[in-house]
Amino acid sequence: MRILLTNHFPLSSSPSGVLVESLGRWLVKAGHQVRMLVLRSRDDPPEPEVRSVICDPADAHAALPMPLPTFDGSISGMRFRDLTDEQLLTYRDVLREAIDREIDAFDPHILHAQHVWIQGHLALEAGVPYVLTAWGEEFETMAADDRWDRYARQAAENAGRIFVPNERLQSTVQAAFGDLEERVQVCDCTVPVSSACGEQLVTAYRAVVVERFGSEPE
C-alpha cells in the first residue's frame, strides 16, 4: 500500500511524532510505500525522506511565518487557541496546499493523520480515504476555542477509522462526535511499533479502502 502519514509537529518533538516515525519504519519494513508530512520550526533538524512545512516568525518567506503552534504551547509558546483568525486561515491554507501536493505526487491509497484535527478535515476535502488517531489534547482545545469544532467534527464523522489508545478515550470520542458505530477502534501502539499494532493498522487501512472503492488496494 501507499500510505501518507501526517502530523502537526516534528517527529522528534512530540509523542505523536515519535509514534509516526516508528510506524513509518515498520510499514516500510513490511513492504509498504510511505511518505510523511510534518510541521517544524526552522531550528528543528530536517529528517530524511520527510516533507516539512516550515514555521518561522522571523522569516517572511517561510511557508508559515508564525511560531509553530501546539496544543499546550510547549514547543514555541504558541498554542492553537492563541492563533488569530487570520493565522488560523493561513495555517489551514498552507497545510491544504502541502497535503494536496503530496496526494498529487504520491497518490496514496490512504492518509493517516494524528489528532482529530485539521489534517483529517483537509484529507476529507481532498477526497482521499483517511483514518485518524485521537490523542485527547485536541478535545481540550476544542472546549476552549469553538473555531476548531467544525473542522474536528467533520473530520471525525467522515473518517474511515479513528484509533484510540484506550477505552476511556474511545468514550470521549463517542461523546464528542456521536455514534460512530464500529469506526472507533482501540489500538494501543507503543514505540517501537509492534507487529501486532502495525498489522492491526494495515488491516484497518485495507478495510477502509475496500469500503470506499469496493476492492483491495493493488
Side-chain angles (χ1 to χ4, degrees):
M1 294 186 71
R2 293 186 300 277
I3 303 156
L4 176 58
L5 303 174
T6 70
N7 193 33
H8 293 272
F9 319 118
L11 297 181
S12 60
S13 299
S14 67
S16 58
V18 172
L19 179 62
V20 165
E21 182 178 31
S22 182
L23 175 59
R25 290 177 178 174
W26 186 91
L27 290 167
V28 169
K29 289 181 180 178
H32 302 281
Q33 298 178 56
V34 175
R35 280 199 185 185
M36 302 182 198
L37 174 66
V38 303
L39 289 92
R40 64 181 180 86
S41 69
R42 185 77 71 188
D43 294 333
D44 292 306
E47 291 133 337
E49 306 304 321
V50 177
R51 278 68 176 175
S52 300
V53 174
I54 301 297
C55 297
D56 187 346
D59 183 356
H61 299 292
L64 283 168
M66 65 177 74
L68 176 63
T70 60
F71 293 106
D72 61 2
S74 59
I75 294 179
S76 69
M78 172 72 83
R79 301 174 301 176
F80 282 112
R81 69 182 72 174
D82 297 327
L83 296 178
T84 66
D85 289 345
E86 181 179 0
Q87 287 174 323
L88 170 54
L89 290 175
T90 300
Y91 183 88
R92 188 178 180 281
D93 287 346
V94 168
L95 273 184
R96 176 195 223 155
E97 292 179 4
I99 287 175
D100 285 349
R101 282 196 303 270
E102 291 304 305
I103 290 172
D104 288 344
F106 186 45
D107 189 24
H109 292 110
I110 197 161
L111 181 151
H112 185 171
Q114 302 301 304
H115 301 93
V116 186
W117 210 237
I118 291 290
Q119 291 176 355
H121 188 266
L122 294 174
L124 169 62
E125 289 189 345
V128 66
Y130 68 94
V131 300
L132 308 170
T133 294
W135 286 80
E137 302 164 295
E138 56 266 56
F139 297 100
E140 297 175 12
T141 296
M142 287 170 56
D145 184 349
D146 60 8
R147 295 178 300 171
W148 301 91
D149 184 76
R150 176 174 67 89
Y151 300 125
R153 186 169 302 278
Q154 290 181 5
E157 290 173 350
N158 292 278
R161 297 290 186 277
I162 300 177
F163 303 109
V164 293
N166 52 57
E167 292 182 354
R168 178 190 59 79
L169 194 51
Q170 185 179 36
S171 297
T172 299
V173 171
Q174 295 284 16
F177 304 119
D179 184 11
L180 299 175
E181 300 176 342
E182 301 300 319
R183 286 182 289 140
V184 184
Q185 297 184 356
V186 175
C187 183
D188 186 14
C189 282
T190 56
V191 175
V193 168
S194 67
S195 293
C197 175
E199 289 167 3
Q200 180 184 353
L201 291 172
V202 170
T203 297
Y205 295 163
R206 292 188 181 280
V208 169
V209 174
V210 170
E211 290 164 9
R212 177 71 173 272
F213 298 115
S215 61
E216 286 261 355
E218 296 180 1

